[in-house]
Amino acid sequence: MIRVKKIVIGVFELESNSLTAICSTRACFSMAFDRDMIPRVHVADYFESEGFEVIPTIYASGVPAGPLLRSEFDSILGELIERIPNDPEIAGVWLKLHGAMDVLELGSGDLEIAKAVRAKVGSNVPVSIAFDMHADVDERIADYANCIRGYRTAPHTDIERTELHAAELLVHCIRIGYLPRPVIVKVPVIANGDSMTTDVEPGSGIIEQLWNMEAVEDILCPSLFLGNPWVDSACAGAAAVVVPNPGKEACAREAACKLAQLLWNQKDRFRFRAKT
């Protein structure tokens, strides 16, 4: 009997503002469970067309708000993890997170989600994450996630495309039996996201460099994150993240440093386009 390999999918996203005393709760999230979550993401058809069975868990998408209460975070994360079966046929995990979820008394919720998923599926299952461009990327997430892909538009018009690209990266890694470790270079810049839109300079030029790098460099996927200035955390700020090809970690490190330097060089050109 031919056994169909399985891919777990889940969404748990919140853009936090830790400068308000009003905390987020479960009521801040739009939620769907099991098969009901599938219409809310853009990857199930792709995975099935590639011959995988999809295991849906939860869709929990919050409106931007204050830090999430620890008890509420634990409850929602628990519902995600309990829906991941102990099944040797699980070939990969696809997640959509924001990257700037602040959990009261915990810190980066995104890091804790990645940790919990990794603990559940083990060390040999690739995990791919789609992040918002305004993620505060914690360097430690490279210990738990294999692929990271960020939006490349602000305002965000490429959400579906980013979800799909993270899915394509996951399938590629499954096919070749590869568990990449993302290279993350933090950039000492904290910028308001509204000051860099990607349809005008310098944003348009920065994003063009991402596409060019992906086409010509010996790397799998480069991403650049501006960070979320409204989260008071140690990992706040910009970051360059590059997923390497097999045996090309040095190329990925070089590419990440190039992106970090590019953002640093352009930091003083960020301007609000509307009166503020």
Side-chain angles (χ1 to χ4, degrees):
M1 182 178 68
I2 298 176
R3 295 185 176 182
V4 177
K5 292 292 185 179
K6 302 172 183 178
I7 291 179
V8 173
I9 64 173
V11 177
F12 189 6
E13 56 186 359
L14 175 69
E15 183 178 37
S16 295
N17 183 334
S18 59
L19 308 181
T20 173
I22 303 173
C23 291
S24 295
T25 66
R26 189 185 187 95
C28 297
F29 289 82
S30 172
M31 304 190 71
F33 301 90
D34 305 317
R35 300 294 299 181
D36 289 340
M37 74 163 288
I38 287 180
R40 304 197 186 197
V41 296
H42 306 94
V43 297
D45 288 346
Y46 167 73
F47 286 136
E48 290 172 353
S49 72
E50 292 293 322
F52 295 95
E53 178 185 335
V54 173
I55 300 177
T57 57
I58 70 168
Y59 173 95
S61 183
V63 296
L68 183 58
L69 290 173
R70 175 69 184 272
S71 59
E72 303 281 57
F73 173 79
D74 290 343
S75 174
I76 297 171
L77 178 58
E79 291 177 75
L80 190 160
I81 297 301
E82 72 182 10
R83 284 173 165 78
I84 303 176
N86 296 313
D87 188 337
E89 299 306 317
I90 292 177
V93 179
W94 175 94
L95 298 172
K96 184 167 182 283
L97 311 177
H98 184 281
M101 178 192 289
D102 183 42
V103 180
L104 205 63
E105 302 172 351
L106 182 62
S108 172
D110 308 284
L111 176 64
E112 296 304 319
I113 295 165
K115 277 185 184 180
V117 169
R118 175 59 70 199
K120 184 63 180 280
V121 302
S123 60
N124 295 319
V125 174
V127 175
S128 185
I129 299 177
F131 265 151
D132 191 288
M133 179 186 280
H134 301 112
D136 286 319
V137 180
D138 191 308
E139 293 171 282
R140 294 172 292 176
I141 206 164
D143 295 332
Y144 309 103
N146 303 104
C147 299
I148 294 173
R149 170 70 177 217
Y151 301 163
R152 292 184 181 177
T153 59
H156 307 317
T157 59
D158 65 335
I159 295 175
E160 180 175 347
R161 186 177 189 179
T162 302
E163 290 182 11
L164 184 57
H165 198 110
E168 291 169 344
L169 287 169
L170 179 60
V171 169
H172 175 72
C173 290
I174 293 170
R175 297 278 193 236
I176 67 173
Y178 179 43
L179 293 166
R181 178 185 175 87
V183 175
I184 300 174
V185 175
K186 296 293 288 187
V187 187
V189 170
I190 295 178
N192 188 304
D194 295 331
S195 66
M196 194 193 95
T197 53
T198 54
D199 58 338
V200 296
E201 291 289 358
S204 58
I206 291 172
I207 298 304
E208 183 179 3
Q209 288 300 311
L210 279 178
W211 289 112
N212 291 342
M213 184 176 286
E214 192 166 60
V216 301
E217 302 278 355
D218 198 358
I219 55 177
L220 270 181
C221 176
S223 295
L224 196 57
F225 298 95
L226 293 180
N228 177 2
W230 312 122
V231 175
D232 183 13
S233 74
C235 63
V241 179
V242 177
V243 182
N245 268 317
K248 298 295 182 177
E249 288 76 14
C251 293
R253 171 64 58 178
E254 182 179 355
C257 289
K258 283 182 182 178
L259 286 174
Q261 187 66 53
L262 174 64
L263 183 60
W264 177 259
N265 291 343
Q266 299 292 330
K267 67 184 187 303
D268 294 326
R269 295 182 63 199
F270 293 170
R271 295 287 186 274
F272 292 104
R273 295 173 65 185
K275 288 186 178 181
T276 57

